[in-house]
Amino acid sequence: MLDRTQQHFERLPLMAATPRTADRPCRITNDAMKPLAHTVARFCGTLARLPDGDGSKAQLVACRRSAFQVMPSDPYEQAVHVRRRLAHLAAGIDEARAGTITNTQRSLRQLQHAYRSLQGLMIGVPDRLLNFEPGSGRCTIRHVLQRALAGTAMPACFVQHISSTAPCACRSCPGTLSAIFEIGEHVYRAVVEGLRDAPDLSFEPGTTRGGSLSLIIHARVDRLSRHLLDHQVELRRLLKSAGHRRTLSMRLAHRIFMVLGDAEGAMIGAESRFEGTCQPLIDLIAARTDELARYR
């Protein structure tokens, strides 16, 4: 006999009304993402489209099951399991790299976490809300998001190896959420790749006064992290004003994205070393994404 949880979720697709096209969550994946991020984004995008469960599902977030058990069939437990596996990956990489990470790389890890948190906050937001204006003269959600992503671009004096062909995150993008983040991902990744091998101390060319100003790069990166976090506060306020309701599925997807940021951040400066380590998890999450689709 099926337990209550399975019975509940098997009934959900029949009970939930099909949302209007304009109200469906935006696609979050984009072609600029690396394989791990792309796979996690597909999983989270599918998760965000699930109808909301009852309040008792919240307790599954604190589920104590081992991360190495057989994957449960409940979609909320699947989300918790994926989050745990990503956290385990991040912890394993931290342990393997103990004592070899620079201060700059630690700061870049915090920036990666903040960047994925911003992206995770937008999972589940329908396209129609991107142009929502809360009042006369106020910025739309699209403009606030683009301003947040534009702030991740470092001045050229900080990053010497950023490709001049990288798209500009500050240019207006009238497209979908995925298109906005694709531009941001290119620019953001160029910054990380330009700084990951830099020494902790770097110098800015002489000022007009003729002196040279010594700058700590990781302090600048820390400011970028705060910039992203500040804009998330503004976006939360705008989304609430627009009437956007974040379901449990969306909140779980957001948490998964933050842990993704930790795992990616732990690899900064040694990405090629851990490509093979990530592949089994990529395959597992891809399989779970296909399984989640049956609940939609």
Side-chain angles (χ1 to χ4, degrees), residues 160-230:
Q160 300 298 324
H161 305 294
I162 291 181
S163 170
S164 60
T165 60
C168 177
C170 58
R171 83 166 183 238
S172 178
C173 178
T176 63
L177 189 65
S178 178
I180 293 172
F181 272 111
E182 182 162 355
I183 293 172
E185 189 99 4
H186 277 298
V187 175
Y188 172 77
R189 226 171 69 198
V191 170
V192 172
E193 291 172 358
L195 292 177
R196 64 187 176 190
D197 298 321
D200 287 334
L201 188 63
S202 186
F203 299 91
E204 187 179 49
T207 64
T208 54
R209 297 181 180 180
S212 62
L213 182 62
S214 175
L215 295 172
I216 305 298
I217 288 182
H218 64 82
R220 172 68 181 178
V221 176
D222 288 344
R223 287 197 290 273
L224 295 184
S225 298
R226 291 194 296 272
H227 166 85
L228 288 176
L229 294 173
D230 288 344

Side-chain angles (χ1 to χ4, degrees), residues 47-171:
L47 178 65
R49 286 168 168 77
L50 295 182
D52 210 6
D54 58 39
S56 65
K57 288 294 159 192
Q59 62 186 312
L60 290 176
V61 177
C63 177
R64 293 188 177 87
R65 293 190 180 185
S66 166
F68 297 101
Q69 284 187 321
V70 176
M71 194 69 177
S73 60
D74 182 282
Y76 288 86
E77 291 189 46
Q78 286 195 24
V80 174
H81 186 89
V82 167
R83 183 174 180 270
R84 267 208 199 90
R85 290 296 296 267
L86 284 166
H88 179 77
L89 174 66
I93 294 171
D94 277 338
E95 184 177 353
R97 298 191 66 194
T100 65
I101 302 175
T102 67
N103 287 334
T104 300
Q105 289 169 352
R106 288 191 185 93
S107 294
L108 286 172
R109 175 175 180 165
Q110 294 302 314
L111 181 61
Q112 185 74 30
H113 178 93
Y115 176 77
R116 290 304 184 203
S117 180
L118 172 69
Q119 196 169 24
L121 176 63
M122 300 302 293
I123 294 175
V125 176
D127 276 318
R128 66 181 177 82
L129 292 187
L130 293 179
N131 296 319
F132 170 76
E133 292 186 64
S136 177
R138 300 278 299 278
C139 290
T140 63
I141 291 173
R142 181 188 301 276
H143 289 152
V144 173
L145 180 59
Q146 289 178 319
R147 193 166 63 214
L149 293 173
T152 62
M154 281 265 197
C157 60
F158 285 93
V159 187
Q160 300 298 324
H161 305 294
I162 291 181
S163 170
S164 60
T165 60
C168 177
C170 58
R171 83 166 183 238

